[in-house]
Amino acid sequence: MTKGRLEAFSDGVIAILITIMVLELKVPHGAAWADLRPLLPLFLTYALSFVFIGIYWNNHHHMLQATERINGKILWANHHLLFWLSLVPFGTWWMGENHLAPVPTALYGAVLLAAAIAYTILLRAIIAHQGPGSALAKAVGSDRKGKLSALLYVAAIPLAFVATWLSAAIYVLVALIWLVPDQRIESRLQ
Amino acid sequence: MTKGRLEAFSDGVIAILITIMVLELKVPHGAAWADLRPLLPLFLTYALSFVFIGIYWNNHHHMLQATERINGKILWANHHLLFWLSLVPFGTWWMGENHLAPVPTALYGAVLLAAAIAYTILLRAIIAHQGPGSALAKAVGSDRKGKLSALLYVAAIPLAFVATWLSAAIYVLVALIWLVPDQRIESRLQ
Amino acid sequence: MTKGRLEAFSDGVIAILITIMVLELKVPHGAAWADLRPLLPLFLTYALSFVFIGIYWNNHHHMLQATERINGKILWANHHLLFWLSLVPFGTWWMGENHLAPVPTALYGAVLLAAAIAYTILLRAIIAHQGPGSALAKAVGSDRKGKLSALLYVAAIPLAFVATWLSAAIYVLVALIWLVPDQRIESRLQ
Amino acid sequence: MTKGRLEAFSDGVIAILITIMVLELKVPHGAAWADLRPLLPLFLTYALSFVFIGIYWNNHHHMLQATERINGKILWANHHLLFWLSLVPFGTWWMGENHLAPVPTALYGAVLLAAAIAYTILLRAIIAHQGPGSALAKAVGSDRKGKLSALLYVAAIPLAFVATWLSAAIYVLVALIWLVPDQRIESRLQ
């Protein structure tokens, strides 16, 4: 089974997810700068989620670049990842419209954590299918970035009930960690 | 006529269908866990429909993997399948927002049944185009899974007026039957 | 300039157009069969527009199958076609929600006519780029189907103010004319 | 790293952006021609934004036609461009629904300016990756059109507070400048 359509379908779903988030930026009734101010928290959350979905797309791209063949297990692991990513718009809207209230901020972290776990499951499914000496396994190595991100999400969820700005800062930190392009796979592939 | 664009167009439509379903998960006004509770039935229906559309995408993928050339009849059989799949979000929302009320639960099954019939029509159109000794015909065999699913939908529709939880259980059962990846086509192709 | 991305972009836009039409089938508040009845006119219009957009996709597919290279003029002729197609959902909703009222029924025909004209412009741009002895020109021939459709739309628009059911019948007739797959291009290509 | 998926993902996002703009053309309650009149300003803004997004797609297409390989920096420069393009629907709706009020008209220009800057950053990232003697650098040359567009946006933003019709005229002018297909890259590639 070739990976072409898996990539195309994932591209489609991720493109839609990253785009429909903007639909909740409802056009204000007034036409003054002040009318945009209530949209600011949602706009910032939107920008953050745009980066997160961009990160997932980049990593998905890198991962499948190092993948030749897929199987049924990989298809479902991919659907599972897309399912959690499909909840990112909801998490974004709820957190953004409630100005970082504790529960929505914790839920946002939980959705990101679930997506991170789903990504790891997909990665493991591909490595298992490639067999021993997998090129992807070598490229990923100990997956320190992935583990660190998951740990940070686990910390951010309860912290939302202590100080939501701390959770938000952690989400921004995770995004920054990944914005540095993943040299590992890239360098191994060359 | 090559199959590339048929796959790309179907990927696009299915990617949108699986994604726009989440738009009906309307962001609650409050910011407490309790505000999420009314969304739970719709969320569960969403997850179920996500799996169903994932199943259709996987099967479509397998089917076209075993297809070389297409014709006008196959194009229309494919549009026909996409039409019924396009009603899955509506069925999902109506059933999810009415907490498994009888009529919406029956309609959901009817939409799934129509999609299943449309899928079979598409399968037959491809096999007819491949001519005798079709690789796909051998791979599909007697299509027991497909027939069983159709029978289960036929049972679930009237059962919705007796006990909706039974219909819901049948829908979950059909999903589980297909979550087991389709070994038939996969093994034949290798 | 190769045609690959033009096809991919058009597939994306057409896939979204054919899908978002369903978003206006708003979930009814009640959960009885009777609650679906007000949706019936919109549902029928939706089904008709689904067929029309399917026809455009098929014809676009056939046309580009017979196209090797494109230029800037073709890109813009394609955007022009997509623009008019993007108004089909609006036309569908307005006509469907007003139960075939005269003005919306005429507007629906006008949108279809504009799309038909845009399609012809695109076809001519491709033929002009292919130069004399164009394979596509031979395959299309005198384009009787296209001319007949345009004439029927021209008739249906004023007829909407006489008897809307007549305009609606004409739209269904045009759809049926095209549902017969276009043998011309197909046979020439083989 | 090959460019195939970058193109596919960008095609997906741009196709969605160009299409969802039509969702704000809300179906009027009445069924007379007069009921369409309030939609006219939004319709015209929609048509203008459709052209702008078409221009970006065309230029993106040309640019990647002249690109062989990409890297992580290019991926992020591309996401950055898509982010600003994703705000075009919001800008379109706000300007269109407020009949060219000053602040929305200025914001529309600001979004277009940000997208133009993001496009230049992406162009520079690709040229930097191609190394000295880059084919794209030669094709783009001094990028007069790009610089002129940016200057015109910079002028249009403050002018919105003097005479909004002037800003609108400038936006139309920029669109017309680009509607003339970009001969530079096209001719160099042949």
Side-chain angles (χ1 to χ4, degrees):
Chain A
M1 219 192 296
T2 55
K3 65 180 176 174
R5 273 192 81 183
L6 182 72
E7 290 181 331
F9 182 68
S10 306
D11 281 350
V13 171
I14 297 172
I16 297 157
L17 289 175
I18 212 169
T19 318
I20 61 170
M21 282 194 296
V22 95
L23 289 177
E24 195 74 9
L25 277 180
K26 297 269 167 65
V27 182
H29 288 294
W33 289 118
D35 295 309
L36 289 182
R37 206 167 306 148
L39 291 177
L40 192 66
L42 186 52
F43 176 75
L44 293 176
T45 324
Y46 168 60
L48 181 64
S49 293
F50 197 98
V51 171
F52 270 117
I53 295 192
I55 289 166
Y56 272 102
W57 185 81
N58 283 14
N59 288 346
H60 195 269
H61 181 176
H62 280 100
M63 183 166 59
L64 282 166
Q65 194 97 349
T67 305
E68 281 303 307
R69 285 143 55 94
I70 56 169
N71 60 7
K73 214 174 251 178
I74 292 170
L75 285 188
W76 279 110
N78 196 60
H79 286 322
H80 181 234
L81 170 62
L82 294 177
F83 177 75
W84 291 109
L85 289 180
S86 82
L87 296 176
V88 169
F90 180 86
T92 304
W93 297 333
W94 204 34
M95 185 166 83
E97 291 182 2
N98 288 290
H99 302 198
L100 295 179
V103 178
T105 305
L107 183 86
Y108 188 76
V111 169
L112 291 177
L113 178 61
I117 293 170
Y119 185 83
T120 306
I121 293 172
L122 173 56
L123 185 64
R124 295 295 151 208
I126 295 177
I127 290 174
H129 189 53
Q130 291 187 342
S134 149
L136 190 61
K138 278 181 205 145
V140 169
S142 63
D143 191 21
R144 271 180 301 182
K145 263 189 185 180
K147 282 176 188 156
L148 180 59
S149 306
L151 270 176
L152 286 168
Y153 293 141
V154 167
I157 295 169
L159 274 174
F161 300 96
V162 182
T164 51
W165 66 267
L166 245 169
S167 306
I170 290 175
Y171 301 149
V172 173
L173 178 69
V174 175
L176 290 175
I177 289 174
W178 287 98
L179 268 168
V180 182
D182 197 331
Q183 308 290 351
R184 288 174 309 179
I185 297 179
E186 241 179 292
S187 60
R188 292 264 176 177
L189 284 174
Q190 276 154 13
Chain B
M1 215 192 299
T2 53
K3 65 180 178 175
R5 271 193 83 184
L6 182 73
E7 291 181 331
F9 182 68
S10 306
D11 281 350
V13 171
I14 298 173
I16 297 156
L17 289 176
I18 212 169
T19 318
I20 61 170
M21 282 194 296
V22 93
L23 289 177
E24 196 73 11
L25 275 180
K26 298 272 167 61
V27 182
H29 288 295
W33 289 118
D35 295 308
L36 289 182
R37 208 168 304 149
L39 292 177
L40 191 66
L42 186 52
F43 175 75
L44 293 176
T45 324
Y46 168 60
L48 182 63
S49 294
F50 196 98
V51 170
F52 270 117
I53 295 191
I55 288 166
Y56 272 101
W57 185 82
N58 282 15
N59 288 345
H60 196 269
H61 181 175
H62 280 99
M63 183 166 58
L64 282 165
Q65 193 96 351
T67 305
E68 281 305 307
R69 286 141 56 93
I70 56 169
N71 61 6
K73 213 174 253 176
I74 292 169
L75 286 189
W76 279 110
N78 196 61
H79 286 324
H80 180 235
L81 169 62
L82 295 177
F83 177 76
W84 291 110
L85 289 180
S86 82
L87 296 177
V88 169
F90 180 86
T92 304
W93 296 333
W94 205 33
M95 184 167 83
E97 291 181 3
N98 287 290
H99 302 199
L100 294 179
V103 178
T105 305
L107 183 86
Y108 188 77
V111 169
L112 291 177
L113 178 62
I117 292 169
Y119 185 83
T120 305
I121 292 172
L122 173 57
L123 185 64
R124 296 294 151 208
I126 295 177
I127 289 173
H129 190 53
Q130 290 187 344
S134 149
L136 191 60
K138 278 183 204 143
V140 168
S142 62
D143 192 23
R144 270 181 300 183
K145 262 188 185 181
K147 283 176 188 158
L148 180 59
S149 305
L151 270 176
L152 286 169
Y153 293 140
V154 168
I157 296 169
L159 274 174
F161 299 97
V162 182
T164 51
W165 65 268
L166 244 168
S167 306
I170 290 175
Y171 301 148
V172 172
L173 178 69
V174 175
L176 289 176
I177 289 173
W178 286 99
L179 267 168
V180 182
D182 198 331
Q183 307 291 349
R184 290 173 309 179
I185 298 179
E186 240 179 293
S187 60
R188 292 261 175 179
L189 284 172
Q190 275 155 13
Chain C
M1 216 192 296
T2 53
K3 64 179 178 176
R5 271 192 82 183
L6 182 72
E7 291 182 330
F9 182 67
S10 306
D11 282 349
V13 171
I14 298 174
I16 297 156
L17 288 175
I18 212 169
T19 318
I20 61 170
M21 283 195 294
V22 93
L23 289 177
E24 196 73 11
L25 275 180
K26 298 272 167 64
V27 182
H29 288 295
W33 289 117
D35 295 309
L36 290 182
R37 208 167 303 150
L39 292 177
L40 191 66
L42 186 53
F43 175 74
L44 293 175
T45 325
Y46 167 60
L48 182 64
S49 294
F50 196 98
V51 170
F52 271 117
I53 295 192
I55 289 166
Y56 272 101
W57 185 82
N58 282 14
N59 288 346
H60 196 269
H61 181 175
H62 280 101
M63 183 166 58
L64 282 165
Q65 194 98 350
T67 306
E68 280 304 307
R69 284 142 56 95
I70 56 169
N71 61 6
K73 214 173 253 178
I74 292 169
L75 285 189
W76 278 110
N78 196 61
H79 285 323
H80 180 235
L81 170 62
L82 295 178
F83 177 75
W84 291 110
L85 289 180
S86 82
L87 296 177
V88 169
F90 180 85
T92 304
W93 297 332
W94 205 34
M95 184 167 84
E97 290 182 4
N98 287 289
H99 301 199
L100 296 179
V103 179
T105 305
L107 183 87
Y108 188 76
V111 169
L112 291 177
L113 179 62
I117 293 169
Y119 185 83
T120 306
I121 293 172
L122 173 56
L123 186 64
R124 296 292 151 211
I126 294 176
I127 288 173
H129 189 53
Q130 290 187 344
S134 149
L136 190 59
K138 279 183 205 144
V140 169
S142 61
D143 192 21
R144 271 181 299 184
K145 261 187 185 181
K147 284 175 189 160
L148 180 59
S149 306
L151 270 176
L152 286 169
Y153 293 141
V154 168
I157 295 169
L159 274 175
F161 299 96
V162 182
T164 50
W165 67 267
L166 245 169
S167 306
I170 291 175
Y171 301 148
V172 172
L173 178 69
V174 176
L176 289 176
I177 289 173
W178 286 99
L179 266 168
V180 182
D182 198 332
Q183 307 290 350
R184 289 172 310 179
I185 299 179
E186 238 179 296
S187 60
R188 292 263 174 176
L189 284 172
Q190 275 154 14
Chain D
M1 216 191 298
T2 54
K3 64 179 177 176
R5 272 193 81 182
L6 183 71
E7 291 183 330
F9 182 68
S10 306
D11 282 349
V13 171
I14 298 173
I16 297 157
L17 289 175
I18 212 170
T19 317
I20 61 170
M21 283 194 296
V22 93
L23 289 177
E24 196 73 11
L25 276 180
K26 298 270 167 65
V27 182
H29 287 296
W33 289 117
D35 294 309
L36 289 182
R37 208 167 304 149
L39 291 177
L40 192 66
L42 185 52
F43 175 75
L44 293 175
T45 325
Y46 167 60
L48 182 64
S49 293
F50 196 98
V51 171
F52 270 118
I53 295 192
I55 289 166
Y56 272 102
W57 186 81
N58 282 14
N59 289 346
H60 195 269
H61 181 175
H62 280 100
M63 182 166 59
L64 282 166
Q65 195 97 350
T67 306
E68 282 303 307
R69 284 141 56 93
I70 56 169
N71 62 6
K73 216 175 251 178
I74 292 170
L75 285 189
W76 279 110
N78 195 61
H79 286 322
H80 181 234
L81 170 62
L82 295 177
F83 177 75
W84 291 110
L85 289 180
S86 82
L87 296 177
V88 169
F90 180 86
T92 304
W93 296 332
W94 205 33
M95 185 167 82
E97 290 181 3
N98 288 289
H99 302 198
L100 295 178
V103 179
T105 305
L107 183 86
Y108 187 77
V111 169
L112 290 177
L113 179 62
I117 293 170
Y119 185 83
T120 306
I121 293 172
L122 174 57
L123 186 64
R124 296 293 150 210
I126 294 177
I127 289 173
H129 190 53
Q130 290 188 343
S134 149
L136 191 60
K138 279 182 204 144
V140 169
S142 62
D143 192 21
R144 273 181 299 184
K145 262 188 186 181
K147 282 176 188 156
L148 180 59
S149 306
L151 270 175
L152 286 168
Y153 293 140
V154 167
I157 295 169
L159 275 174
F161 299 97
V162 182
T164 50
W165 66 266
L166 246 169
S167 307
I170 291 175
Y171 301 150
V172 172
L173 178 69
V174 176
L176 289 175
I177 290 174
W178 287 98
L179 266 168
V180 182
D182 197 330
Q183 307 290 349
R184 291 173 308 181
I185 298 179
E186 239 179 294
S187 60
R188 292 263 174 178
L189 284 174
Q190 276 154 13

